[in-house]
């Protein structure tokens, strides 16, 4: 009987070991679709890919006004309000000041600015090891928050919003 238990534990260890290896080789991917807010005609998609401890966000938009737009991760995944305010403020699990990513203090949701061309098309790509997809670590896990695209630019100074104007597109970061 004792030998059987030891054999069972050994097999269990192998199974767990294999599962762990498989998971570490997996890339996690989320594809999200934005909805227009505040009467805008903005459409867009975002993908988050987690690989080797880093998450890459790639997002593409149409229907923007030409010029600079802020994009942030906000606290909640709820895009139900017509003006997008149901997503709350910026995702800030480390209780820092609003700012520019990598410079002084910044929120974990402070992605920054991107440019829309004269046709209203814009895209942004952003990679960080300060996020992950689904670890449950509240300071890193992007799941169940939301993404907002703003009408204007983030000035990286005004607290706690960056004074980026209205919310023209929204998506929840949900599986
Ligand atoms: Cu924002
Ligand atoms: Zn912020």
């Amino acid at each position: 009987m004792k030998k059987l238990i030891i054999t069972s534990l050994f097999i269990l260890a192998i199974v767990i070991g294999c599962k762990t290896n498989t998971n570490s080789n997996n890339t996690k991917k989320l594809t999200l679709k934005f909805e227009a807010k505040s009467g805008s005609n903005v459409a867009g998609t975002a993908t988050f890919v987690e690989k080797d401890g880093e998450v890459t966000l790639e997002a593409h938009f149409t229907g923007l006004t030409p010029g600079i737009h802020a994009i942030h991760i906000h606290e909640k995944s709820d895009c139900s309000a017509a003006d997008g305010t149901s997503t709350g403020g910026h995702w800030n699990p480390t209780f820092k000041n609003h700012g520019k990513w990598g410079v002084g203090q910044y929120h974990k949701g402070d992605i920054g600015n991107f440019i829309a061309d004269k046709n209203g098309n814009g895209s942004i790509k952003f990679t960080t090891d300060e996020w992950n997809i689904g670890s449950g670590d509240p300071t890193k896990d992007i799941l169940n928050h939301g993404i907002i695209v703003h009408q204007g630019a983030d000035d990286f100074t005004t607290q706690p919003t960056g004074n980026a104007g209205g919310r023209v597109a929204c998506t929840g970061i949900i599986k």
Side-chain angles (χ1 to χ4, degrees):
M1 185 61 188
K2 196 175 177 188
K3 193 177 177 191
L4 180 64
I5 289 169
I6 289 167
T7 307
S8 301
L9 284 174
F10 184 65
I11 290 167
L12 188 65
I14 290 172
V15 170
I16 290 170
C18 289
K19 193 161 189 289
T20 305
N21 281 340
T22 308
N23 281 347
S24 66
N25 291 334
N26 271 354
T27 48
K28 292 183 195 166
K29 185 171 179 180
L30 269 181
T31 303
L32 309 168
K33 197 173 170 200
F34 284 83
E35 51 186 288
K37 288 292 163 189
S38 308
S40 83
N41 293 311
V42 180
T45 56
T47 57
F48 286 99
V49 175
E50 181 178 336
K51 191 171 191 256
D52 300 331
E54 290 190 322
V55 173
T56 296
L57 163 68
E58 189 169 349
H60 298 271
F61 301 96
T62 61
L64 289 160
T65 54
I68 303 172
H69 295 271
I71 180 169
H72 307 124
I73 297 180
H74 282 236
E75 185 62 38
K76 298 173 198 157
S77 61
D78 177 6
C79 291
S80 61
D83 62 1
T85 52
S86 46
T87 54
H90 297 182
W91 177 42
N92 182 22
T94 51
F95 306 102
K96 303 291 187 187
N97 291 326
H98 176 73
K100 187 168 187 172
W101 191 282
V103 182
Q105 291 197 16
Y106 53 95
H107 299 147
K108 284 292 177 94
D110 288 348
I111 302 169
N113 288 321
F114 67 99
I115 298 171
D117 67 17
K118 64 181 192 324
N119 298 316
N121 300 319
S123 59
I124 184 166
K125 196 171 177 182
F126 182 88
T127 300
T128 180
D129 65 0
E130 294 194 41
W131 294 342
N132 64 47
I133 302 172
S135 74
D137 175 349
T139 66
K140 290 189 127 185
D141 191 347
I142 60 172
L143 278 184
N144 302 314
H145 300 293
I147 312 176
I148 290 287
V149 177
H150 290 270
Q151 176 61 25
D154 189 328
D155 66 11
F156 303 122
T157 306
T158 306
Q159 299 300 326
T161 62
N163 194 29
R167 305 178 180 198
V168 295
C170 183
T171 186
I173 308 173
I174 44 183
K175 279 187 178 170

